[in-house]
Amino acid sequence: MSTTWLGELLSEDGRRDPYPVYARLHEHGPVVGLPHGSKHAAIVHGHAAVGRVLRDPDFHVLDAEYLDRGSTRWRAHPAVRTMQHSLFNDSGDHLARTRRVFGQAFGSTRVSALEPMITRITDHLLDRLADAGGAPVDFMTRFALRLPSDVIGEVLGVPERDRAAFPDRVRTFDAILELGQRSLRELRAADTAAEELTSYFAGLVAARRAAPEDDLISVLAASDALSEPVLLANLVVVFNAGFRTTANLLGNGLHLLLTHPDALDALRADPATASSCVEEVLRFDPPVHFAIRYATKDTEVEGVEVPRGRTVLILTAAANRDPSRFADPDRFDPSRTDNHHYAFSAGPHFCVGAALGRAEGRIALSRLVARFPFPALAAPPGPRHHFMLRGHDRLEVRFR
Ligand code: HEM
């Protein structure tokens, strides 16, 4: 059975709806070992086991040391180099130092101060949705992709006129993050996108060094806390990480509300429930389904051996539906309490932008429902195929 788990997940059916596969994985305990020759040594999907591996110092992200063991050819690819220079693939003291810089910039105190700006942008975008006069509108392009791009653009200091060029480049770059094989064509396109984004940010950093403004890039440009390649890689990656993840939280969230009228009624009746509603969206239908780590020494997870140098596939989205942790895990229930999900991962790589993503979700969904009390799906959304950045390409909605 175990040989087929990865095949099942990556099949057409598995990609469209991985939850039946997750449910069967849970019947086999918290971890399944995969046979020798598999891409990963094990799949970790039980809630407690996922938390343990993500926090275990013997498991690392796929850093340069890991990649070099296979081949050093990755160094010729700007997209992979960018990821390797960023927080995502860093570890140890260097990671801690870089996280201090970005942790401050996106911590909860800072995010509270950003709320008026998020509200202003939200209301502006809602005005534009109202312009359609109740005709079907694609929520993704007209709202969900705009809000996070404008918010992260404001925080970093990316001028509004430049933001239109981001969605395509970000999408192309992000293709390298997906689970399973990627084609050389996708990798080359991601390389080009990474080079364009890096040179864009290099120009902006130089401009802010010459004439600082009241934005994060000016602060980072004036500091010597990070080397230039690390600064640029993290600017590219922070923009990307804060963009389509949050857009998918908004799209997945609105879709869940439109298909669960009780949840929509409850949010309309009491906007203060937006926070628990967002947590339940993140548990039930998270924008990111997995993380990968490798063992830096021979070890085990829940009795399943993981030899040094082998990877484990950590299914955070499956952990969010673990029946031993959540009562009735396949029910979308925004009134759920004790909702400890792994949508933002855990441990040393816990999402730097969690407070910002949560604030955007809370403000956007509550204000949207207050402004348009009776939104309705105008067409079924297209199927979803991705495990990383899982969201709707289109979401046609009538805003009434
Ligand atoms: C709902 C929105 C979001 C979701 C679901 C999300 C999800 C995640 C997840 C799962 C990880 C960890 C990956 C791993 O463990 O390997 C992560 C890391 C990260 N996220 Fe988010 N994220 C969101 C919003 C944001 C925002 C708004 C920002 C921008 C500030 C951001 C910046 C980052 C960064 C820089 C990392 C890397 C941290 C590290 O590896 O140390 N994210 N995010």
Side-chain angles (χ1 to χ4, degrees):
M1 184 68 181
S2 58
T3 45
T4 64
W5 287 119
L6 277 179
E8 280 191 52
L9 266 183
L10 294 171
S11 70
E12 188 59 31
D13 284 351
R15 285 175 183 277
R16 192 177 306 123
D17 181 10
Y19 287 102
V21 184
Y22 297 163
R24 274 185 290 115
L25 277 166
H26 286 306
E27 288 165 13
H28 287 73
V31 181
V32 292
L34 300 181
H36 201 70
S38 300
K39 187 168 170 58
H40 305 289
I43 298 179
V44 184
H45 50 276
H47 188 274
V50 162
R52 199 201 119 192
V53 175
L54 287 172
R55 295 182 180 97
D56 186 337
D58 294 335
F59 281 95
H60 279 197
V61 290
L62 306 188
D63 50 22
E65 192 184 322
Y66 172 84
L67 292 192
D68 279 343
R69 277 189 216 155
S71 145
T72 54
R73 268 181 311 191
W74 64 268
R75 289 175 187 276
H77 290 284
V80 188
R81 274 202 320 266
T82 301
M83 284 307 294
Q84 288 297 321
H85 275 132
S86 81
L87 288 167
F88 277 92
N89 294 87
D90 202 356
S91 39
D93 291 347
H94 194 266
L95 169 69
R97 214 169 41 241
T98 312
R99 279 187 66 99
R100 267 197 297 281
V101 172
F102 285 94
Q104 260 169 21
F106 296 103
S108 45
T109 315
R110 180 85 187 101
V111 169
S112 298
L114 297 174
E115 287 191 8
M117 177 268 284
I118 300 173
T119 305
R120 178 175 47 78
I121 297 174
T122 299
D123 288 349
H124 171 74
L125 292 172
L126 292 176
D127 287 345
R128 299 285 72 76
L129 293 182
D131 291 344
V137 170
D138 176 27
F139 177 70
M140 297 310 292
T141 49
R142 296 279 288 276
F143 188 97
L145 287 160
R146 290 285 305 277
L147 176 67
S149 161
D150 283 347
V151 167
I152 197 94
E154 288 285 313
V155 175
L156 290 177
V158 173
E160 204 174 335
R161 63 178 177 279
D162 297 344
R163 291 179 204 154
F166 274 80
D168 279 351
R169 286 174 183 165
V170 168
R171 187 182 291 270
T172 310
F173 177 83
D174 286 347
I176 66 162
L177 307 176
E178 186 47 29
L179 189 60
Q181 292 295 351
R182 56 186 171 243
S183 67
L184 195 57
R185 207 166 129 246
E186 279 176 323
L187 182 55
R188 291 215 171 106
D191 283 342
T192 305
E195 282 178 313
E196 287 170 355
L197 289 165
T198 305
S199 85
Y200 174 79
F201 280 113
L204 208 52
V205 166
R208 293 296 193 275
R209 276 202 183 111
E213 290 189 17
D214 181 20
D215 57 37
L216 183 58
I217 292 191
S218 299
V219 175
L220 296 173
S223 143
D224 55 4
L226 307 176
S227 72
E228 194 79 358
V230 169
L231 170 61
L232 295 179
N234 278 298
L235 288 175
V236 171
V237 161
V238 162
F239 195 100
N240 283 34
F243 181 26
R244 283 177 59 215
T245 46
T246 311
N248 290 335
L249 163 64
L250 302 176
N252 296 352
L254 181 59
H255 184 247
L256 281 168
L257 289 172
L258 296 177
T259 50
H260 294 77
D262 290 353
L264 183 62
D265 290 347
L267 181 59
R268 191 192 303 119
D270 183 2
T273 60
S275 185
S276 65
C277 180
V278 165
E279 293 311 306
E280 180 66 346
V281 172
L282 287 165
R283 182 193 72 84
F284 190 85
D285 194 5
V288 177
H289 274 222
F290 73 96
I292 294 174
R293 301 288 189 263
Y294 78 100
T296 54
K297 62 178 208 188
D298 289 342
T299 184
E300 57 78 33
V301 189
E302 308 287 339
V304 174
E305 285 182 11
V306 183
R308 178 172 176 267
R310 296 294 317 277
T311 54
V312 291
L313 174 63
I314 305 165
L315 292 175
T316 46
N320 288 358
R321 301 276 192 109
D322 184 345
S324 73
R325 177 62 179 77
F326 298 102
D328 208 356
D330 296 324
R331 192 158 70 89
F332 176 64
D333 175 10
S335 69
R336 203 178 275 277
T337 51
D338 186 25
N339 199 350
H340 183 166
H341 57 72
Y342 284 118
F344 292 117
S345 191
H349 291 274
F350 179 79
C351 175
V352 163
L356 183 58
R358 282 178 158 134
E360 289 181 63
R362 189 167 37 75
I363 292 170
L365 292 181
S366 60
R367 292 187 86 78
L368 187 150
V369 168
R371 178 78 183 267
F372 304 108
F374 304 104
L377 265 184
R384 296 181 291 173
H385 301 285
H386 296 116
F387 291 97
M388 179 64 83
L389 303 170
R390 189 172 178 83
H392 301 288
D393 282 341
R394 290 183 71 75
L395 190 60
E396 296 283 338
V397 178
R398 292 177 193 278
F399 289 97
R400 307 174 301 187

